[in-house]
Amino acid sequence: MLIQYPLIFSTGFLLGIFFIIRLKKFSLSHNLLISKGIPLIGGIGAGLSFIFITLFSLYIYHGLSKEIIGLIISSTIMLFFGVIDDRWEL
């Protein structure tokens, strides 16, 4: 049971690094979400990592509580508005 927490943490960390690097390359090659030469995709990479690691945790623990579902929904909404803010620089 105790081994699951470091596994979830390290998987989430590595997924975050993977998504940020891949999205940075994609953003620079397609000129998307770039402000003053800096790609604005770190939040998207972290958000995708959070979503994937939450689904991974769902697989390990065989279900989610109402609190975790609320956390997922609110995090997804924040990610959505963060992308909109980065896109149109609100």
Side-chain angles (χ1 to χ4, degrees):
M1 170 96 178
L2 203 53
I3 192 77
Q4 292 172 345
Y5 297 120
L7 176 67
I8 291 171
F9 175 78
S10 59
T11 304
F13 181 75
L14 293 174
L15 274 176
I17 291 173
F18 172 77
F19 281 131
I20 289 171
I21 290 172
R22 298 295 291 175
L23 288 172
K24 178 183 175 186
K25 288 180 183 178
F26 179 79
S27 176
L28 289 173
S29 67
H30 293 354
N31 200 21
L32 296 172
L33 293 175
I34 297 177
S35 175
K36 298 177 186 172
I38 300 171
L40 303 173
I41 46 80
I44 298 171
L48 287 174
S49 173
F50 176 76
I51 290 169
F52 278 103
I53 203 62
T54 304
L55 294 174
F56 179 67
S57 298
L58 171 68
Y59 174 74
I60 288 177
Y61 293 114
H62 306 293
L64 296 174
S65 66
K66 290 181 182 179
E67 292 85 7
I68 299 297
I69 292 171
L71 181 68
I72 293 169
I73 291 171
S74 62
S75 298
T76 304
I77 291 170
M78 288 187 340
L79 176 65
F80 174 73
F81 284 114
V83 170
I84 289 174
D85 178 48
D86 285 346
R87 176 68 176 113
W88 286 286
E89 297 181 12
L90 301 176

